[in-house]
Amino acid sequence: MPQVPQTFDALAVRTWCGLALQALGRAREEIDAINVYPVADGDTGTNLYLTLESATAAVEAVFAGHEVGGREAGGGDEAGGGRPTLADAVRAMAHGALIGARGNSGTILAQLLRGMAQVLAADSETAHTDGPGLRLALRQAADSARQAVAHPVEGTVLTVASAAADAANGAEGDCGAVARAAYEGARAALAATPGQLAVLERAGVVDAGGRGLVAVLAALVETFTGEAPRMRLGSPEVHARVGLASAADVDIVGAGIGGVHSDVCEDGAPEEGGPAFEVIYLLEAEDAAVDRLRGRLDRLGNSLVVVGGDGLWNVHVHVDDAGAAVEAGVEAGRPYRIRITHFGLGDVHTGGPGRPPRERAQRAVVAVVPGEGLAGLYAEAGATTVLARPGEPPASGELVEAVRRAHAREVVLLPNDAELRHTAAAAAEQARADGVRVALIPTRSAVQGIAALAVHEPERRFDEDVVAMTSAAGATRYAEVVVAERQSWTMAGICQAGDVLGLIDGDVAVIGSDITTTAESVLDRMLSAGGEMVTLVLGDEAPDAIAARLESRVRESYLAVDTVVYRGGRQGALLLIGVE
């Protein structure tokens, strides 16, 4: 039997996150299927998975940072240089969940993890905690969530969390004993949820969010005992609601950690004919501004959830006027990662009982794009987009969700980044397991994706379409102009922080001091090998005159070469260049 931790330390946090993510991955479809409250949109399992995936990635990043630091200092785990403290790990877990929280269920999970972190990180120097410490953490998790919800409803994840904390409070022994007691208490409470919430009883299911929390607590038991407890719920858990359709998402991206405010139906029943849109965004704002925002959003809609603090918040609300909800965020501070979902057919908001789910499209394109402008361009061309924020590449779960959102039998996946090759491949495999035919075209830049989209013809055979798109992408050389963040050795020599770099096909080819001059040098090198079409994608920090200057250079120096210019927004690079 493998060695397992007897106390709750940073390594135990890492293990728990990994096991919980696996557990939610296995249970995701089941949880989605029993999702009937507060909105029957069939995404609770997916939202929980994506939230915990973000938390797990944050913990892994902390471990990776300490391992690098330990090697540079000439130390290792034994010297204490290669492993974060418990406080480091749980703070990262809570922050990762905050910035990655999806939907009502994911936001509540983020708050539960934050409540635990408040206790476990109280002493930054403590290396680990024991059974009594875990009891306190579980109590704080449940209490902080319940106290922060404006209108708590019994029979939900809040009930399950409270039951877990109550059971843990009566347990004696090490972390394994406390975790098992919490799991058993949560499991019993989950089985009782249909008797507490009429909508669950009518559907013959248990609460979906509570089911996800039980899976997370089962992983906590496995972390300390090495054995995963067997689920032994009654028949309600295995009854799946049929006829659910996923919502059709529209991504729009605009310009630690505190309490949750939530507004749900007092009688525990989802409203018929309720708001048509779900709006979610991260928000940088002061506490006073967020208090005013809560009041304004509360008047606009329902299912309001605001998690955050220390200047960073995650906002979630259901409204009919999505624009007004975003505008309220703009007035409060700086909203970003804005996501607007229109509840699709089969949802209680837009369809009655027995209404059939929407028909699958035959073919769709799913693309990762680095900026808001390109997201709009790709969407106009019919693609489903996933926004890659600078320094924050999307996880495989986000790509899988986008494939599901595309709702097609056949999907062409464009990662548009060489670093996303393995992530995209993992997402493609998961989508194939869901019964979707997926072709992954290894595009390494958004300009290659544009070339592929230009020849996309959904009416022809799938294989022929994929070959044509792959050929177009492969025939497109790509470049980008960026500013160096630090001194570094490159293929073109040593660069200093602040230098302008021109990268061609992924390698530094030009080092300069002026953005426009460097871009001209890059363009000349690319066109020296020929070309018929130049694509320029301007970042929001590119000089105003650069597009006109480059267009003029192409027109005067290269006959029969056309130029097209797009604005990419906050895409990371100052300029993307494609030559076909």
Side-chain angles (χ1 to χ4, degrees):
M1 180 176 174
Q3 184 178 3
V4 295
Q6 300 302 311
T7 58
F8 205 177
D9 59 6
L11 185 59
V13 174
R14 185 187 202 181
T15 302
W16 178 34
C17 286
L19 291 173
L21 189 63
Q22 293 174 22
L24 287 175
R26 291 190 298 268
R28 181 192 56 76
E29 290 186 2
E30 171 204 331
I31 297 172
D32 282 347
I34 64 173
N35 172 203
V36 298
Y37 179 82
V39 176
D41 49 358
D43 64 357
T44 291
T46 299
N47 287 339
L48 289 170
Y49 179 87
L50 292 174
T51 301
L52 195 58
E53 185 179 49
S54 181
T56 302
V59 173
E60 290 297 330
V62 166
F63 268 85
H66 277 75
E67 287 165 3
V68 170
R71 286 196 297 271
E72 291 178 350
D77 285 354
E78 294 80 3
R83 183 176 296 178
T85 65
L86 173 62
D88 292 333
V90 295
R91 285 172 182 154
M93 175 183 70
H95 182 72
L98 169 70
I99 64 174
R102 300 293 189 95
N104 270 308
S105 55
T107 308
I108 294 296
L109 176 60
Q111 175 65 8
L112 290 167
L113 295 180
R114 178 193 179 267
M116 293 188 70
Q118 286 178 315
V119 172
L120 298 175
D123 184 349
S124 298
E125 302 304 317
T126 299
H128 59 80
T129 193
D130 52 13
L134 180 56
R135 287 203 304 267
L136 290 174
L138 291 168
R139 181 78 271 163
Q140 177 63 17
D143 290 350
S144 63
R146 179 170 290 274
Q147 290 166 6
V149 172
H151 307 288
V153 173
E154 297 304 328
T156 66
V157 64
L158 296 177
T159 306
V160 176
S162 293
D166 291 343
N169 192 54
E172 299 292 337
D174 59 14
C175 288
V178 172
R180 185 172 292 279
Y183 164 78
E184 293 293 347
R187 184 185 62 80
L190 177 64
T193 55
Q196 297 173 295
L197 206 52
V199 65
L200 301 179
E201 187 174 28
R202 287 195 300 270
V205 298
V206 295
D207 178 66
R211 170 64 181 89
L213 180 58
V214 168
V216 171
L217 290 172
L220 187 62
V221 175
E222 186 175 0
T223 297
F224 295 114
T225 68
E227 298 179 355
R230 296 183 61 184
M231 297 292 292
R232 299 189 309 278
L233 293 171
S235 59
E237 183 192 21
V238 298
H239 292 173
R241 188 173 184 268
V242 297
L244 291 173
S246 298
D249 291 342
V250 180
D251 287 346
I252 309 174
V253 178
I257 305 169
V260 176
H261 173 86
S262 177
D263 183 12
V264 295
C265 305
E266 295 286 355
D267 61 359
E271 292 185 63
E272 295 291 339
F277 296 97
E278 178 185 58
V279 178
I280 305 172
Y281 49 81
L282 289 179
L283 177 70
E284 293 178 358
E286 298 299 324
D287 291 7
V290 172
D291 288 340
R292 293 191 296 271
L293 175 67
R294 282 187 175 123
R296 182 168 177 183
L297 292 180
D298 197 32
R299 293 188 292 274
L300 284 174
N302 61 28
S303 293
L304 175 62
V305 183
V306 181
V307 178
D310 300 325
L312 180 62
W313 309 84
N314 188 307
V315 179
H316 168 283
V317 68
H318 294 174
V319 294
D320 280 321
D321 189 344
V326 175
E327 182 182 341
V330 173
E331 292 182 3
R334 188 179 78 87
Y336 59 104
R337 293 203 206 175
I338 302 171
R339 183 181 182 84
I340 301 173
T341 303
H342 186 282
F343 293 115
L345 295 176
D347 175 14
V348 295
H349 290 323
T350 57
R355 188 168 183 175
R358 63 188 175 101
E359 182 67 23
R360 281 183 179 271
Q362 180 59 36
R363 189 174 309 159
V365 176
V366 172
V368 179
V369 292
E372 307 96 308
L374 280 179
L377 174 67
Y378 273 71
E380 287 177 8
T384 298
T385 61
V386 177
L387 193 71
R389 297 156 293 271
E392 298 179 28
S396 62
E398 292 181 76
L399 302 189
V400 173
E401 184 191 27
V403 171
R404 293 184 179 125
R405 202 165 74 234
H407 204 60
R409 298 181 181 89
E410 301 168 339
V411 169
V412 179
L413 183 57
L414 305 175
N416 290 340
D417 186 339
E419 298 297 322
L420 289 177
R421 179 182 57 186
H422 297 301
T423 299
E429 284 301 314
Q430 178 60 54
R432 292 181 187 118
D434 291 344
V436 180
R437 187 181 185 189
V438 181
L440 172 59
I441 297 179
T443 49
R444 296 185 288 177
S445 171
V447 292
Q448 289 189 323
I450 291 172
L453 265 180
V455 301
H456 169 53
E457 293 184 13
E459 294 78 17
R460 63 186 166 196
R461 290 178 57 246
F462 184 64
D463 292 339
E464 293 176 353
D465 197 28
V466 170
V467 168
M469 294 176 72
T470 302
S471 178
T476 302
R477 300 187 69 196
Y478 64 96
E480 59 181 316
V481 177
V482 300
V483 176
E485 296 181 355
R486 63 184 68 87
Q487 184 186 61
S488 180
W489 288 88
T490 76
M491 297 287 289
I494 300 175
C495 72
Q496 305 295 328
D499 283 348
V500 181
L501 307 180
L503 291 84
I504 299 177
D505 294 336
D507 293 322
V508 176
V510 180
I511 300 175
S513 58
D514 179 75
I515 296 171
T516 302
T517 302
T518 302
E520 287 178 324
S521 297
V522 170
L523 191 55
D524 286 341
R525 291 196 182 202
M526 296 180 76
L527 286 173
S528 66
E532 299 175 354
M533 170 72 75
V534 172
T535 300
L536 304 175
V537 183
L538 307 180
D540 58 2
E541 296 183 1
D544 293 336
I546 192 171
R549 178 91 168 261
L550 294 178
E551 284 184 287
S552 176
R553 189 176 190 86
V554 172
R555 185 169 56 251
E556 295 172 0
S557 303
Y558 303 95
L559 297 177
V561 178
D562 295 324
T563 304
V564 60
V565 179
Y566 302 110
R567 295 201 171 272
R570 294 194 307 159
Q571 63 184 22
L574 295 169
L575 175 68
L576 300 177
I577 304 174
V579 174
E580 303 174 45

